[in-house]
Amino acid sequence: MKKLIYLCGMMLLCMNVMAQIDLNDENWEEALYDGFISAGRGWNTYNFHELTTLEHPNAIWWCGAGAFYPCTVFTDEYHHQVYQPSQCVFENNVLSLISEYTGEDDLSCANGDYILPQSIPGATCENCEQPHNNYLSGMIQSLPKFGFGYYEIRYKTPAHRDAHVGFWVFGGGPETYEEIDIMEYSNGDCQDDSLYGYSSGIWHNPNGIYANNPLDPNDYAINYAKSYYHLPTNEPDLSEYHTFGLEWMPDYVKWYRDGNVVSEYRNREHIPQYRKWILVTYEIGTYHGSLMWFGTDELVIDYIKVYELKTDCSDDVFIRTISDWENFEPRVKNTISIGSTNGLIVPQNQNQTFRASESILIDQPFELPQGVQMSLIVQECPENL
């Protein structure tokens, strides 16, 4: 059905999508906010899950990438990292992902250079070893999945040759591979000589995995929204915090840096539709086959947060009385009709955002006093498959 907004009123703000997320909009609810308070934070090295303690009862993170079962401690042949809980440190109300050059060409589980998660079947030295592992590094993946919404991270980014930082969401559907890169900082990835370049994009393959047939160049995930950016060049060591955000809806995606939109994409055919894990990585990329960094440094994360829209997309709502207005529960509805045959006058000092997936109709007399703000947003229902 075609989506329409009909208006007969004054002082209305009407949109079919938000220009930028407004957390004063009560339709949003907090799905995750982790400021990495240090009390009680640590790792269970049996399964690489975050510890559950009285101070922090609900584990949020997995050290490594459980989505890449069973060998969660390795990246691919270009990076040669071994992810370890020791490299993911909760301290001073931040989470630090530490990348460390070990001086060893082949780190070995058998020699005790690193540990594997013992609770994962198949995670053994025999089937997980790779040649030329040079670095111990930090990576986290969320234990829960999250859906359409707004994602944001605030962190300080290392800047040196082959530093590789990623903030992304991953997790395909039953027949598709889906991934959204929110921020991927890498000298090797950004095709220039600057240490300040980063990229974003959407990876999609309708055939289920990233490369369903490695011998078929047409059966790889394609990046349909690749964009390149630069961090401020007046920060030689990037010593300041920056925020990177993603607004992900069924029919559009927006990318943010420091609160400003830097890119967007609106081809629904390639926009991910399934709930996803959050992943944050810091590693040293050896893209050209030679090492270019021989030290220890860290990615310092101040917070990670996710907000999702509350939904009740099968509900048709009628705002006919002041009581209807005051008792309205902000959620994405199917349709909303506003007004009264006697003339509905909204109370003063009211701000309200109405969201619907099909239509918002002001079909009877309706009055907004001066100073009242009402936002009307018609959008596709943000419910994941």
Side-chain angles (χ1 to χ4, degrees):
M1 180 182 296
K2 187 176 181 180
K3 300 173 183 176
L4 301 173
I5 301 178
Y6 300 91
L7 303 177
C8 303
M10 53 188 296
M11 299 180 67
L12 305 178
L13 176 61
C14 308
M15 302 169 282
N16 62 356
V17 295
M18 293 186 67
Q20 186 169 348
I21 181 173
D22 177 9
L23 295 181
N24 292 319
D25 175 0
E26 294 182 358
N27 290 272
W28 292 100
E29 64 180 347
E30 182 181 294
L32 169 68
Y33 189 99
D34 196 344
F36 301 108
I37 297 173
S38 55
R41 305 296 286 263
W43 298 99
N44 179 326
T45 55
Y46 180 76
N47 57 19
F48 285 24
H49 283 198
E50 183 183 354
L51 284 170
T52 55
T53 69
L54 292 176
E55 294 86 358
H56 190 74
N58 298 311
I60 300 173
W61 304 107
W62 187 334
C63 174
F68 304 138
Y69 171 94
C71 298
T72 64
V73 300
F74 291 104
T75 56
D76 60 29
E77 61 183 323
Y78 295 103
H79 297 255
H80 308 298
Q81 316 292 302
V82 180
Y83 295 128
Q84 293 286 274
S86 60
Q87 310 304 114
C88 304
V89 179
F90 300 101
E91 192 172 61
N92 300 321
N93 295 339
V94 297
L95 173 62
S96 296
L97 303 185
I98 302 168
S99 189
E100 175 185 0
Y101 175 68
T102 65
E104 300 290 336
D105 183 56
D106 286 298
L107 296 174
S108 169
C109 174
N111 293 335
D113 296 325
Y114 61 85
I115 60 174
L116 291 170
Q118 299 301 308
S119 62
I120 300 178
T124 67
C125 289
E126 288 73 21
N127 62 20
C128 291
E129 293 282 29
Q130 295 182 25
H132 309 301
N133 295 305
N134 306 105
Y135 299 93
L136 296 176
S137 297
M139 177 181 191
I140 57 170
Q141 177 195 303
S142 64
L143 292 170
K145 286 185 175 182
F146 301 93
F148 297 123
Y150 177 73
Y151 297 70
E152 185 175 285
I153 194 170
R154 184 173 186 262
Y155 57 31
K156 296 180 183 179
T157 308
H160 58 71
R161 293 295 177 190
D162 285 333
H164 189 277
V165 175
F167 175 44
W168 45 302
V169 293
F170 167 86
E175 298 180 356
T176 58
Y177 177 90
E178 300 178 347
E179 171 189 328
I180 305 178
D181 294 341
I182 304 171
M183 185 275 194
E184 186 170 11
Y185 165 72
S186 166
N187 172 255
D189 185 58
C190 289
Q191 301 178 344
D192 62 25
D193 236 4
S194 169
L195 293 178
Y196 305 95
Y198 73 97
S199 64
S200 65
I202 297 172
W203 292 92
H204 181 269
N205 186 347
N207 296 322
I209 59 177
Y210 180 81
N212 197 50
N213 181 358
L215 301 179
D216 182 357
N218 297 316
D219 201 5
Y220 274 80
I222 297 174
N223 196 325
Y224 288 93
K226 189 79 169 182
S227 295
Y228 296 99
Y229 323 91
H230 280 81
L231 294 166
T233 56
N234 61 348
E235 297 172 12
D237 59 357
L238 295 180
S239 58
E240 298 298 322
Y241 279 108
H242 290 281
T243 61
F244 299 90
L246 169 75
E247 187 178 351
W248 166 37
M249 289 292 150
D251 52 350
Y252 72 90
V253 176
K254 293 183 180 182
W255 288 266
Y256 295 82
R257 185 181 74 213
D258 295 330
N260 299 310
V261 177
V262 294
S263 184
E264 58 182 283
Y265 184 77
R266 294 182 177 274
N267 185 342
R268 193 186 191 285
E269 181 181 357
H270 304 127
I271 293 176
Q273 301 295 308
Y274 295 87
R275 299 179 71 84
K276 312 226 168 297
W277 294 288
I278 299 170
L279 293 97
V280 185
T281 63
Y282 175 48
E283 57 201 29
I284 308 299
T286 54
Y287 293 99
H288 307 294
S290 60
L291 306 182
M292 301 185 71
W293 177 254
F294 302 93
T296 299
D297 63 5
E298 61 185 1
L299 173 71
V300 181
I301 306 171
D302 183 38
Y303 66 72
I304 297 174
K305 63 184 179 183
V306 180
Y307 288 84
E308 296 177 344
L309 285 170
K310 295 175 284 186
T311 61
D312 192 1
C313 297
S314 62
D315 193 17
D316 298 312
V317 175
F318 298 87
I319 309 295
R320 300 303 188 198
T321 67
I322 298 301
S323 178
D324 291 338
W325 176 285
E326 293 179 337
N327 294 321
F328 175 78
E329 182 181 6
R331 290 179 178 270
V332 182
K333 305 294 184 178
N334 183 50
T335 65
I336 300 175
S337 301
I338 304 174
S340 168
T341 55
N342 298 322
L344 174 61
I345 303 175
V346 175
Q348 291 185 339
N349 303 316
Q350 294 282 313
N351 292 314
Q352 183 63 268
T353 299
F354 293 105
R355 292 175 178 263
S357 60
E358 290 300 324
S359 67
I360 300 175
L361 173 65
I362 298 180
D363 58 349
Q364 297 183 32
F366 173 74
E367 181 179 333
L368 290 179
Q370 185 174 2
V372 173
Q373 177 175 307
M374 181 173 73
S375 301
L376 307 180
I377 302 173
V378 177
Q379 65 178 98
E380 190 165 335
C381 186
E383 293 182 333
N384 295 85
L385 299 175

